[in-house]
């Protein structure tokens, strides 16, 4: 069939485009901002892209329009599709009906760590020779792409709780009908669509209701919200991680060594290329889930020693004059805390300059502004981009005192960071967007400073 995707340059919808193309469909698409790297990845696969949402795209006459959840009523192309009664479907529904149907779906849900844990699980299956398909909200470095159709029934998917489409306000993950599910953690987020944590718990229980009796749920035993979700009803096999009586992980005798225990018995220890307690928990969840498809923990641990990480997850973008610049996707206070904590383990007493863009819908609303100071305490200096916020960032970060600076001009911020940085420092940039290309701007400015010196 010919499908035309509205909002094609988002990670999820771009992934669907790649899967559809690999399955032999003709794929075209449009977006308000057609730009690299997703545009390049799509065009290399022969997918024609259109800038904007002009109604002239109806002339393409696709078999179906696939509508991304960034598309709202009032969008001119969507309104024309509705007016003319043309066939349309949400991205998750198209994926469920055309890719996931009949496959063994392994889904990873949770407020934090979905992308990393999905990548870990996909890599374990790949390293064990199972050749899975996958759809990840990032780019695992072991694969170099965010989506793949795969050669076997196994399909690993990042299961997002955000809503499905303008016409379907259920969470995306209710469409996937997984056989294996990781429930990684659960906190309040997405304040633009959820009234409170209870509303998100309800969506998570909708996911639990779709898992078959012979399916397996691997849930974080350290999360009260997940205990509440499962107390509502569970009809599948259930295993707990971060639970001394079931699956647990501890630090080993060296910095990166982890010790995995199952039902109180040590079943393996390895040095893993992951930093921070959150990543130890992510790895543990992936190991437990992989066991459901027959991969032993020992084989899974071996695979994880060869895991190369995920782009934009504590990714080193470059070093200049002894100053390292990193990119990370952290944008929720808990994720910011864990990311800085993980970096602190890596760099010891070296200075960390945290650079934050509160860009997500929830952060822009200011719902979590009071949690920000505590999440940034382990950083030595804090720079916050305050443009286009509906709340007073300087006031919110006042508890951090003089080490926190808020700026509304990106150029001034780059100059201030470079003026503050000295050899041996680590600049940690945290945003769920492109942040105006600040990473390269910092590296260029540092190089210019070095030349001038």
């Amino acid at each position: 069939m010919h499908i035309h995707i509205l909002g094609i340059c988002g990670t999820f919808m771009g992934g669907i485009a790649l899967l559809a193309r690999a399955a032999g469909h003709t794929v075209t698409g449009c977006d308000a901002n057609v730009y690299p790297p997703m545009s390049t990845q799509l065009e290399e696969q022969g997918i024609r892209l259109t800038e904007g949402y002009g109604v002239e795209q109806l002339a393409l006459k696709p078999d179906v329009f696939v509508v991304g959840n960034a598309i709202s009523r009032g969008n001119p192309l969507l309104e024309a599709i509705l007016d003319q009664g043309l066939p349309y479907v949400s991205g998750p529904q198209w994926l469920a009906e055309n890719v996931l149907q009949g496959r063994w779906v392994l889904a990873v849900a949770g407020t934090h760590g979905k992308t990393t844990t999905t990548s870990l699980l996909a890599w374990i299956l790949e390293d064990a020779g199972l050749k899975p398909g996958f759809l990840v909200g990032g780019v695992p470095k072991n694969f170099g792409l965010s989506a793949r159709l795969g050669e076997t029934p196994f399909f690993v998917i990042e299961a997002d709780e955000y809503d499905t489409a303008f016409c379907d306000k259920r969470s995306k993950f209710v469409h996937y009908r997984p056989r294996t599910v990781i429930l990684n953690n659960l906190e309040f987020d997405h304040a633009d669509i959820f009234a409170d944590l209870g509303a998100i718990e309800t969506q998570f229980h909708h996911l639990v209701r779709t898992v078959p009796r012979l399916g397996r749920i691997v849930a974080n035993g350290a999360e009260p919200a997940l205990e509440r979700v499962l107390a509502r009803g569970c009809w599948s096999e259930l295993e707990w991680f971060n639970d001394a009586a079931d699956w647990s992980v501890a630090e080993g005798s060296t910095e990166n060594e982890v010790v995995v225990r199952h039902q109180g018995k040590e079943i393996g220890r390895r040095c893993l290329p992951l930093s921070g307690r959150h990543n130890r928990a992510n790895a543990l969840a992936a190991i437990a889930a992989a066991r459901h498809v027959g991969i032993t923990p020992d084989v899974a641990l071996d695979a994880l020693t060869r895991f190369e990480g995920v782009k934009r997850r504590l990714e080193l973008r470059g070093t200049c004059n002894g100053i390292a610049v990193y990119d990370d996707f952290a944008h929720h206070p808990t994720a910011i805390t864990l990311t800085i904590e993980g970096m602190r383990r890596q760099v010891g007493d070296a200075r960390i300059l945290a650079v934050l863009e509160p860009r997500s819908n929830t952060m822009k609303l200011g719902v979590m502004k009071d949690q920000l100071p505590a999440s940034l305490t382990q950083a030595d200096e804090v720079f916050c981009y305050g443009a286009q916020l509906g709340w007073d960032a300087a006031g919110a970060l006042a508890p951090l005192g003089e080490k926190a600076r808020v700026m509304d001009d990106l150029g001034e911020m780059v100059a201030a960071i470079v003026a503050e940085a000295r050899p041996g420092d680590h600049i940690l940039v945290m945003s769920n967007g492109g942040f105006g290309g600040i990473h390269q701007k910092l590296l260029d400015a540092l190089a210019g400073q070095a030349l001038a010196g």
Side-chain angles (χ1 to χ4, degrees):
M1 67 171 74
H2 174 193
I3 71 171
H4 187 66
I5 300 177
L6 282 68
I8 194 170
C9 286
T11 308
F12 177 77
M13 299 305 287
I16 286 180
L18 294 174
L19 293 171
R21 186 75 183 88
H25 301 297
T26 299
V27 183
T28 54
C30 60
D31 209 307
N33 296 294
V34 174
Y35 55 86
M38 184 56 79
S39 62
T40 306
Q41 190 177 170
L42 294 171
E43 287 168 346
E44 285 173 352
Q45 297 299 315
I47 296 170
R48 185 156 61 91
L49 306 180
T50 302
E51 179 88 32
Y53 297 103
V55 296
E56 69 278 359
Q57 294 174 61
L58 296 182
L60 293 169
K61 296 185 177 178
D63 296 291
V64 66
F65 292 92
V66 182
V67 183
N69 74 344
I71 309 303
S72 303
R73 287 300 304 264
N75 177 290
L77 181 54
L78 174 61
E79 293 299 326
I81 291 167
L82 294 174
D83 286 344
Q84 297 192 28
L86 299 174
Y88 67 88
V89 68
S90 71
Q93 186 178 336
W94 190 92
L95 182 70
E97 294 173 353
N98 294 276
V99 176
L100 303 183
Q101 184 67 38
R103 300 187 75 163
W104 184 317
V105 177
L106 299 95
V108 179
T111 309
H112 313 293
K114 287 188 295 293
T115 299
T116 297
T117 308
T118 307
S119 302
L120 287 164
L121 183 55
W123 173 244
I124 290 171
L125 268 63
E126 175 75 3
D127 197 65
L130 297 187
K131 299 180 180 177
F134 57 82
L135 176 54
V136 187
V139 181
K141 293 181 183 178
N142 291 83
F143 296 104
L145 70 173
S146 59
R148 184 178 81 178
L149 203 55
E151 300 176 32
T152 64
F154 300 108
F155 195 97
V156 184
I157 188 165
E158 180 171 330
D160 186 6
E161 72 272 26
Y162 210 79
D163 61 13
T164 295
F166 77 97
C167 56
D168 183 352
K169 292 306 175 183
R170 296 172 297 167
S171 291
K172 290 178 186 173
F173 55 38
V174 300
H175 292 275
Y176 301 156
R177 300 186 182 180
R179 191 177 182 89
T180 308
V181 179
I182 292 173
L183 302 181
N184 217 20
N185 39 60
L186 182 51
E187 287 188 74
F188 182 59
D189 197 5
H190 307 308
D192 52 325
I193 61 170
F194 293 117
D196 51 32
L197 179 56
I200 309 177
E201 290 176 10
T202 296
Q203 293 294 325
F204 270 69
H205 196 248
H206 290 167
L207 172 62
V208 168
R209 286 175 172 273
T210 67
V211 183
R213 281 186 306 169
L214 296 177
R216 183 173 298 171
I217 296 170
V218 178
N220 189 342
E223 292 281 330
L226 292 177
E227 291 183 7
R228 290 194 297 270
V229 167
L230 292 160
R232 293 189 183 191
C234 179
W235 300 267
S236 313
E237 297 175 13
L238 175 61
E239 295 185 349
W240 296 96
F241 69 99
N242 284 343
D243 184 323
D246 207 341
W247 291 92
S248 62
V249 65
E251 293 183 51
S253 55
T254 60
E255 177 67 22
N256 289 323
E257 187 180 52
V258 299
V259 179
V260 175
R261 294 188 177 91
H262 186 225
Q263 297 176 350
K265 195 173 6 176
E266 181 179 323
I267 56 173
R269 59 172 66 209
R270 297 287 192 287
C271 286
L272 302 184
L274 298 163
S275 181
R277 58 189 167 96
H278 60 304
N279 278 325
R280 289 199 300 273
N282 293 339
L284 181 65
I287 291 165
R291 183 168 164 267
H292 193 215
V293 299
I295 299 172
T296 65
D298 209 51
V299 169
L301 274 166
D302 269 346
L304 294 185
T305 66
R306 294 181 283 277
F307 183 66
E308 297 174 10
V310 183
K311 288 188 177 182
R312 303 211 63 198
R313 300 315 188 268
L314 266 186
E315 180 185 11
L316 178 63
R317 292 290 295 267
T319 303
C320 184
N321 197 29
I323 301 165
V325 177
Y326 300 81
D327 183 16
D328 196 90
F329 201 70
H331 55 279
H332 182 286
T334 299
I336 292 167
T337 301
L338 293 169
T339 297
I340 297 175
E341 182 183 282
M343 173 158 278
R344 179 58 69 199
R345 283 176 57 89
Q346 282 186 6
V347 306
D349 294 332
R351 292 204 316 161
I352 297 173
L353 279 58
V355 183
L356 174 68
E357 180 188 30
R359 181 186 172 276
S360 72
N361 289 334
T362 301
M363 291 296 270
K364 281 183 177 178
L365 289 169
V367 175
M368 297 180 178
K369 66 181 188 296
D370 293 340
Q371 299 173 39
L372 273 179
S375 73
L376 293 158
T377 52
Q378 288 198 54
D380 296 280
E381 300 288 338
V382 174
F383 297 84
C384 178
Y385 187 55
Q388 298 178 330
L389 293 179
W391 46 278
D392 177 14
L397 296 178
L400 293 173
E402 293 183 0
K403 79 174 185 179
R405 281 171 263 184
V406 177
M407 299 182 180
D408 294 343
D409 183 275
L410 195 61
E412 289 179 12
M413 175 178 270
V414 168
I417 295 166
V418 170
E420 175 66 37
R422 52 182 187 252
D425 284 355
H426 299 265
I427 301 174
L428 172 59
V429 178
M430 294 175 285
S431 170
N432 70 335
F435 205 164
I438 192 172
H439 318 84
Q440 194 58 49
K441 285 182 169 72
L442 285 166
L443 289 167
D444 291 344
L446 289 167
Q449 184 188 61
L451 286 171

